[in-house]
Amino acid sequence: MSRHQISLLAIAVAAVTALAPSPASAQPKKAPVDCEQVKCIALTFDDGPGQYAGTLLDTLKKYNAKATFFLEGQYVKSRPAFVKRMAAEGHELGNHSYSHPDFTKSEAGKIRSEIQKTQDAVKQAAGVEPKLLRPPYGLADLQVSDIATAFGMPMILWTGGSHDWDTKNVEAIKKKTLEVAQRDGIILMHDWVKQTVDAMPSIVKTLQSKGYTLVTVSDIVKRQNLQPGDIFPVPEGWER
Ligand SMILES: [Zn+2]
């Protein structure tokens, strides 16, 4: 073999090596979604992982739908396998405090520890840290915003609620969810409500038949260019 051929061979080997998937990229990458181009909606599930999260994840997987889970640290601790699976299957993980206190009635130290303990629990369970905060009950004030800023997190509320925790009825949950569904909407649901999880196959199929792509909150808010401490959607009377 001539020297020229050997160097060509070396280049070919290098090229093949570069193309081969490296073990470091074993985590499935979520394909980017452009909500300018497609009709997006984000279903969000609070207070979990709830005991029915596994069934919900099966449904989302079956219909190739993504969701966002605003997790409560205490349940991340007790059900870490669900959290790991959520991340592995391309869903977004958000922080919803550790034990669900009203942050607007809490001392700064308490708020910080509620957020930090949940960040730590999610990191331990799934190897990723939430980038979004949903304060319990959707209640925030300037102190909460300042603390969210320190954590580098915007706060995410919702554009519509399924009222699932209230009705606990499959038909009512489906009806309300479809009623509040809108392009780029962020819908509040709960994976500890069994009837929500039961209603999900029908809700997902109906939304998809109406042309929606079910995406994560980060896909929806990409164009908002949210900064840490920002709140979205901005609630009435909110001033920064
Ligand atoms: Zn909650």
Side-chain angles (χ1 to χ4, degrees):
M1 204 181 277
S2 75
R3 217 186 332 182
H4 179 66
Q5 279 172 315
I6 288 168
S7 63
L8 276 181
L9 188 66
I11 289 167
V13 168
V16 168
T17 310
L19 285 172
S22 73
S25 63
Q27 283 276 353
K29 277 242 159 65
K30 199 171 74 66
V33 178
D34 183 356
C35 295
E36 300 262 15
Q37 304 298 323
V38 298
K39 187 177 165 187
C40 288
I41 191 165
L43 301 186
T44 66
F45 297 89
D46 280 19
D47 311 341
Q51 56 177 313
Y52 311 109
T55 309
L56 172 58
L57 287 168
D58 291 344
T59 301
L60 294 169
K61 191 176 194 175
K62 180 174 175 186
Y63 295 101
N64 191 28
K66 299 301 174 218
T68 302
F69 293 88
F70 286 100
L71 302 166
E72 219 173 291
Q74 59 175 330
Y75 300 122
V76 174
K77 281 273 187 200
S78 58
R79 302 184 181 112
F82 285 148
V83 180
K84 190 176 181 186
R85 193 179 155 194
M86 286 164 182
E89 295 181 1
H91 304 297
E92 180 160 30
L93 307 181
N95 188 319
H96 191 49
S97 84
Y98 195 85
S99 60
H100 216 274
D102 179 345
F103 278 0
T104 65
K105 294 189 172 70
S106 304
E107 298 287 337
K110 163 87 171 165
I111 300 169
R112 276 193 286 268
S113 105
E114 285 273 329
I115 296 172
Q116 187 64 58
K117 276 161 66 187
T118 301
Q119 292 295 92
D120 294 346
V122 174
K123 182 88 189 276
Q124 201 184 356
V128 294
E129 277 199 324
K131 293 183 169 61
L132 303 174
L133 176 68
R134 176 173 279 169
Y137 313 101
L139 295 175
D141 56 18
L142 293 185
Q143 173 174 256
V144 179
S145 170
D146 284 343
I147 293 169
T149 303
F151 277 94
M153 303 168 99
M155 298 181 286
I156 303 295
L157 305 183
W158 50 87
T159 62
S162 62
H163 292 220
D164 56 349
W165 55 274
D166 189 19
T167 63
K168 292 205 176 119
N169 174 283
V170 171
E171 279 313 308
I173 293 165
K174 186 184 167 189
K175 183 164 178 273
K176 188 70 193 174
T177 303
L178 297 174
E179 207 174 279
V180 297
Q182 61 178 82
R183 186 167 184 168
D184 297 326
I186 299 172
I187 313 300
L188 172 63
M189 311 180 88
H190 299 85
D191 61 347
W192 54 265
V193 177
K194 183 176 185 299
Q195 294 84 356
T196 296
V197 176
D198 290 344
M200 275 299 285
S202 171
I203 289 172
V204 174
K205 267 189 283 182
T206 308
L207 288 172
Q208 289 179 339
S209 75
K210 289 174 183 286
Y212 285 104
T213 299
L214 278 71
V215 301
T216 64
V217 167
S218 281
D219 288 325
I220 298 265
V221 300
K222 209 176 290 168
R223 287 163 295 161
Q224 307 296 333
N225 193 27
L226 294 178
Q227 301 302 307
D230 283 355
I231 193 161
F232 181 85
V234 180
E236 218 169 299
W238 180 266
E239 273 179 58
R240 179 75 258 209

